[in-house]
Amino acid sequence: MNLFRALSIYTMSSLLGRAVPFFLLPIMTKYLTPAEYGVVSIYIVMVTFLSTVMYWGAHVHIGIEYFKMVESDYRRLLGSLSLIPLLIFLITYFIFFFVNAIFNIEAFSPCLFLSIPLAALLGYLYRLMTVYFRVSNQQYRFAFVEVITSLLQVFFSITFVVFLLYGVQGRVVAILLSSFIIASYLIFYIKSNKLMVFDFNLKFYLNYFKSGLAYVFNELGNQIIRIGDKFLIMIFMGSNFVGPYAVAAQVASIALILNSVFTQAWQPYVFKILSSNSSQEKRKLYTLTLVITGAFFFIYIALGAISIIIYDIFIDIRYHESLPAVKWLLAGFFFTFVYGIFADYMFFSKQIKKISLVTFFNLVLFVIFSVLFMAEYGVFGVAYAFSLSSLSSTILCAYLSSKCDYSLFKLKREVETQNEIKDKVG
């Protein structure tokens, strides 16, 4: 696998995908009222949270197991995992149906509310197959799915919201319709390539339940941290303080795109090398990890400088007071990046409980620090809390990673041993 070619492909396709919310922002805010835009935002958040539960970590698990299984077993794994979202969809749909019948959900019409489980289910194959395309080194097919998904979102959103003036319903229909088209294409691809073998094995599901639960907990915890800062500010300081902080978070979120793009290429690369017995490749992995970490450190410093320019050119002066928060958020995102470096080894070692422990530790620490720091530093306290909790969690993750079967520290010792042997031979 050519890491840098993969990075370039993932960067271009993922940037287009991440650019969709930014591209649609001025359009949606013009054609939707603030209340309607809020409903759409809540809808997307609910779909995201439900998706995490519905997928039960399948998209994470297949990335880890790809390099450990023969093809026939892997196809059976894909089929078995894909039955889980179908079952959870049926359960959640009935739950939503009864909730809608019993309670009056003011924010959503019945049709919108009941479409949430469907939207989550339709997104499953996209999440699953984009991971599969990454680990199987199909960068161009990954890019195709990413780009087409983004274009469909934009096309249908403009069609239904701008031209047909369907409002919130139009935006939701755009989400559902684009997801349906992509899911249909992926079903055709799976069937053509005989990629899944469906085999209902109760023992498999019982064994997978705990690890899947840990995946869910880890992902939900990270999602809560990403959106929890705004809720904490609203609760303890009022909604007037959310806006400026949200602008700082939006500017700093450029780092999240970099982290995501890098992970898409890096994680399969790491898993493939760890699955091999090549000492030379492992030595290369260790050296490359140090180089990339150093490079990202300077990239994040550069982002801090660029954020000043972004504020001066694009951000209204009323929001400039939030600029200092950007550098602390960027620091937190850098520590999150380093955390991901160590967490990959824990995932590969199947130490999911340890990852869950780090997630829980991070979540609790973030809430405690946020409450304490907001009382002293105001809205900036949340940014300080995010940075400090991310650093603390990274240190804990590094320590727990060192106790796993595979770790960066063991690669380091292996490299040192090989260097000693070379010196003796020389």
Side-chain angles (χ1 to χ4, degrees):
M1 178 188 297
N2 188 317
L3 176 63
F4 295 102
R5 185 188 69 178
L7 272 174
S8 63
I9 296 173
Y10 292 138
T11 299
M12 295 302 296
S13 57
S14 296
L15 282 178
L16 180 58
R18 302 304 189 279
V20 168
F22 293 97
F23 178 80
L24 290 176
L25 184 61
I27 300 175
M28 293 299 106
T29 51
K30 180 178 180 180
Y31 287 89
L32 296 177
T33 67
E36 289 176 328
Y37 192 83
V39 171
V40 172
S41 300
I42 295 172
Y43 181 91
I44 293 174
V45 168
M46 292 186 68
V47 171
T48 302
F49 271 84
L50 182 57
S51 298
T52 301
V53 177
M54 189 177 290
Y55 305 166
W56 209 254
H59 55 295
V60 180
H61 192 65
I62 68 162
I64 298 171
E65 295 298 322
Y66 179 80
F67 299 104
K68 299 181 179 181
M69 292 181 140
V70 298
E71 185 176 349
S72 58
D73 290 340
Y74 191 73
R75 293 184 179 190
R76 189 172 289 105
L77 174 68
L78 290 177
S80 298
L81 289 174
S82 297
L83 294 176
I84 297 176
L86 290 174
L87 175 62
I88 298 180
F89 165 74
L90 294 175
I91 295 172
T92 54
Y93 184 82
F94 281 113
I95 292 174
F96 272 62
F97 179 83
F98 286 112
V99 168
N100 182 71
I102 296 173
F103 301 99
N104 182 21
I105 311 297
E106 295 182 359
F108 299 105
S109 66
C111 289
L112 287 182
F113 186 70
L114 293 176
S115 71
I116 292 174
L118 177 61
L121 179 65
L122 288 175
Y124 168 71
L125 287 181
Y126 168 81
R127 289 290 299 275
L128 187 82
M129 295 305 295
T130 49
V131 174
Y132 172 76
F133 291 146
R134 286 195 287 112
V135 295
S136 60
N137 202 23
Q138 299 185 58
Q139 296 106 341
Y140 292 108
R141 196 170 295 277
F142 169 90
F144 172 78
V145 172
E146 282 273 292
V147 171
I148 294 299
T149 301
S150 303
L151 293 178
L152 287 173
Q153 281 269 359
V154 172
F155 173 76
F156 287 127
S157 295
I158 293 176
T159 300
F160 291 115
V161 177
V162 177
F163 294 111
L164 299 179
L165 300 177
Y166 286 167
V168 173
Q169 289 80 4
R171 182 71 179 100
V172 171
V173 169
I175 294 172
L176 293 171
L177 191 54
S178 58
S179 299
F180 175 78
I181 293 174
I182 291 299
S184 299
Y185 163 74
L186 292 174
I187 290 174
F188 174 78
Y189 175 85
I190 291 168
K191 186 176 180 180
S192 299
N193 292 271
K194 300 179 180 178
L195 197 58
M196 290 186 183
V197 176
F198 295 97
D199 179 23
F200 185 85
N201 187 324
L202 184 60
K203 183 178 180 181
F204 165 81
Y205 293 113
L206 292 176
N207 291 334
Y208 180 71
F209 176 79
K210 288 186 178 180
S211 58
L213 181 62
Y215 293 137
V216 171
F217 177 80
N218 180 64
E219 195 166 346
L220 282 178
N222 290 329
Q223 288 177 2
I224 291 171
I225 292 171
R226 283 197 291 269
I227 67 172
D229 49 2
K230 300 174 187 64
F231 282 107
L232 288 172
I233 292 172
M234 184 174 63
I235 292 171
F236 289 95
M237 301 191 66
S239 58
N240 292 336
F241 292 88
V242 176
Y245 178 86
V247 171
Q250 190 73 57
V251 173
S253 67
I254 299 172
L256 276 179
I257 298 176
L258 291 177
N259 287 2
S260 175
V261 169
F262 173 78
T263 300
Q264 287 170 353
W266 180 252
Q267 198 175 66
Y269 178 78
V270 172
F271 290 169
K272 183 177 182 180
I273 290 179
L274 293 181
S275 299
S276 70
N277 293 318
S278 174
S279 299
Q280 183 178 358
E281 288 296 316
K282 290 180 180 179
R283 183 168 64 250
K284 179 183 175 182
L285 173 61
Y286 174 76
T287 304
L288 191 58
T289 301
L290 298 182
V291 171
I292 289 177
T293 303
F296 265 73
F297 176 76
F298 288 106
I299 289 173
Y300 274 68
I301 292 177
L303 287 176
I306 293 172
S307 67
I308 300 174
I309 301 174
I310 293 175
Y311 264 74
D312 287 339
I313 298 177
F314 299 104
I315 308 300
D316 190 279
I317 194 171
R318 293 173 299 173
Y319 296 89
H320 281 204
E321 63 180 1
S322 66
L323 176 59
V326 174
K327 63 182 179 182
W328 290 99
L329 292 171
L330 286 173
F333 288 137
F334 174 73
F335 296 138
T336 302
F337 163 78
V338 178
Y339 156 83
I341 294 289
F342 292 112
D344 285 342
Y345 293 89
M346 297 169 70
F347 274 119
F348 192 80
S349 302
K350 294 187 177 181
Q351 295 296 319
I352 310 301
K353 290 183 179 179
K354 292 182 179 179
I355 296 175
S356 299
L357 174 63
V358 176
T359 302
F360 181 75
F361 174 79
N362 190 17
L363 180 59
V364 171
L365 214 59
F366 170 70
V367 173
I368 293 174
F369 285 157
S370 293
V371 174
L372 294 176
F373 290 167
M374 274 193 292
E376 182 70 23
Y377 304 106
V379 69
F380 292 141
V382 179
Y384 302 155
F386 174 64
S387 180
L388 185 56
S389 64
S390 297
L391 172 60
S392 303
S393 301
T394 300
I395 294 173
L396 176 61
C397 186
Y399 171 75
L400 294 177
S401 173
S402 68
K403 306 298 181 181
C404 295
D405 295 335
Y406 299 89
S407 75
L408 187 63
F409 302 101
K410 290 183 178 179
L411 287 182
K412 179 178 183 296
R413 288 194 292 270
E414 189 172 325
V415 170
E416 291 174 346
T417 301
Q418 290 173 349
N419 289 336
E420 290 176 2
I421 294 174
K422 284 185 178 180
D423 292 338
K424 290 180 180 179
V425 173

